[in-house]
Amino acid sequence: NAGVTQTPKFRILKIGQSMTLQCTQDMNHNYMYWYRQDPGMGLKLIYYSVGAGITDKGEVPNGYNVSRSTTEDFPLRLELAAPSQTSVYFCASRLAGGFYEQYFGPGTRLTVT
Amino acid sequence: TQLLEQSPQFLSIQEGENLTVYCNSSSVFSSLQWYRQEPGEGPVLLVTVVTGGEVKKLKRLTFQFGDARKDSSLHITAAQPGDTGLYLCAGAEDYKLSFGAGTTVTVRA
């Protein structure tokens, strides 16, 4: 099993550009999450999904969009990149039920200049 | 969003010493998790504690959940350089986790 995979690993964007961060999991997990991690700030939830076709906002959704057309994939879209979106982005997934153990991908380091 | 505070923010110790990291909140959680994150990687789950007063041991790591399920601690005995990393606590609410800012632990050889 590959677990949770994310692409790209690194990306530099210019202000105003758009991009999609890809996330795929092969564990048949229902729930998927997008977080951003800034130095000294822990992980902040951007969006989450409890199943295909269902998404909801987290703590910091502004400037981002998501879709969940399949169980496996949960892409994160940045429409008009801003320097404030410079961060490390993590995708995670978990099974429904249980005690919310989440499995994380390796992250995407994004710089907006 | 429920706030989790971790202390200390940074901890640097010599190999063989003991250390304790704390995670505190004013809110009650149904469960609390501890993750460890190494540079350039995603967090990896260490343990989940569910019952107030629960103590779990993983080799040299001991995790405790407060009686009121608002706080937790992680104690490492005889720390090794391999224990170096960012330790994150996370409280469960609904379908989501709220993370603390983390404690960066450095164990010097």
Side-chain angles (χ1 to χ4, degrees):
Chain A
N1 277 350
V4 179
T5 57
Q6 292 183 238
T7 57
K9 185 78 172 171
F10 303 93
R11 184 73 185 267
I12 298 174
L13 279 182
K14 294 189 184 302
I15 295 172
Q17 286 186 323
S18 301
M19 77 163 293
T20 299
L21 281 67
Q22 301 293 345
C23 175
T24 299
Q25 53 90 11
D26 63 359
M27 297 174 285
N28 203 31
H29 286 176
N30 298 94
Y31 297 168
M32 295 187 74
Y33 304 84
W34 274 106
Y35 296 91
R36 59 176 289 170
Q37 186 176 36
D38 301 305
M41 299 294 290
L43 289 153
K44 302 293 185 185
L45 182 64
I46 305 171
Y47 270 95
Y48 67 100
S49 170
V50 299
I54 306 170
T55 62
D56 208 346
K57 295 178 181 179
E59 187 181 355
V60 290
N62 291 343
Y64 308 95
N65 276 300
V66 293
S67 60
R68 183 94 183 270
S69 58
T70 67
T71 299
E72 294 78 20
D73 300 307
F74 190 40
L76 177 71
R77 178 83 178 161
L78 283 70
E79 289 296 345
L80 291 170
S84 61
Q85 293 178 305
T86 294
S87 189
V88 182
Y89 292 84
F90 289 99
C91 179
S93 71
R94 74 167 181 92
L95 286 167
F99 293 109
Y100 311 102
E101 292 92 334
Q102 293 188 11
Y103 296 83
F104 285 81
T108 294
R109 183 175 294 275
L110 176 67
T111 302
V112 182
T113 62
Chain B
T1 300
Q2 300 176 21
L3 185 63
L4 279 148
E5 295 185 353
Q6 289 190 242
S7 61
Q9 187 176 0
F10 299 97
L11 194 54
S12 180
I13 61 170
Q14 201 70 33
E15 182 177 5
E17 293 181 338
N18 301 333
L19 69 97
T20 303
V21 174
Y22 300 93
C23 175
N24 295 294
S25 174
S26 58
S27 303
V28 176
F29 293 102
S30 58
S31 67
L32 193 139
Q33 297 178 348
W34 285 92
Y35 291 80
R36 188 173 84 190
Q37 184 179 18
E38 299 191 12
E41 299 181 8
V44 176
L45 180 69
L46 294 173
V47 78
T48 300
V49 285
V50 178
T51 307
E54 182 177 3
V55 176
K56 278 192 175 178
K57 292 192 175 183
L58 268 168
K59 296 183 182 178
R60 295 177 293 100
L61 278 61
T62 302
F63 303 85
Q64 187 161 4
F65 201 13
D67 291 341
R69 291 187 290 133
K70 293 181 179 182
D71 54 86
S72 181
S73 64
L74 158 60
H75 182 80
I76 301 179
T77 302
Q80 299 175 359
D83 295 324
T84 292
L86 175 66
Y87 289 82
L88 296 158
C89 67
E93 50 172 337
D94 299 325
Y95 306 120
K96 301 168 285 185
L97 292 176
S98 295
F99 282 84
T103 295
T104 299
V105 172
T106 302
V107 182
R108 305 184 304 273

